[in-house]
Amino acid sequence: MSPLFRRTTPAASRDRLVTLVRKPGCHLCDDAQVVVEKVCTELGVPWEGKDITQDQELHDRYWEQIPVVLVDGRQHTFWRVDEDRLRKALTD
């Protein structure tokens, strides 16, 4: 395949990290995870999930906002994750 048509993942994308702060049994968290997985897979960006019930600091900070998405440790969004907005944050 021609290099013009080959999709490559920029090295900068691999240096990013998306964190989904969630709790078990949360339907909004499940919805957020679908979006995070999709966008991160497309862009080659690693992501991790953190359980708010297992981390007191996260619980104290984000309990009323879950699910919360962090990009490189900084809060990106909460409650509902917009696919286009997350993609833009990871490619800018």
Side-chain angles (χ1 to χ4, degrees):
M1 177 180 275
S2 167
L4 293 174
F5 299 106
R6 200 174 294 144
R7 261 183 108 173
T8 59
T9 303
S13 293
R14 292 187 299 268
D15 294 336
R16 313 295 306 266
L17 177 63
V18 174
T19 303
L20 174 61
V21 181
R22 58 169 300 149
K23 75 172 186 169
C26 168
H27 73 281
L28 287 177
C29 299
D30 295 339
D31 294 346
Q33 184 169 329
V34 169
V35 174
V36 168
E37 284 180 347
K38 178 181 180 188
V39 172
C40 288
T41 298
E42 287 174 4
L43 298 177
V45 175
W47 75 276
E48 64 181 358
K50 297 227 176 176
D51 182 346
I52 201 167
T53 66
Q54 302 296 314
D55 185 316
Q56 189 63 45
E57 182 181 339
L58 291 176
H59 181 276
D60 293 346
R61 188 167 189 177
Y62 298 119
W63 178 251
E64 294 180 1
Q65 297 179 335
I66 61 166
V68 175
V69 175
L70 309 175
V71 174
D72 301 328
R74 297 183 66 206
Q75 187 170 345
H76 168 72
T77 195
F78 61 97
W79 293 338
R80 302 224 181 253
V81 182
D82 181 88
E83 183 178 325
D84 292 331
R85 184 170 178 259
L86 179 58
R87 185 177 288 107
K88 182 172 175 28
L90 294 171
T91 57
D92 281 350

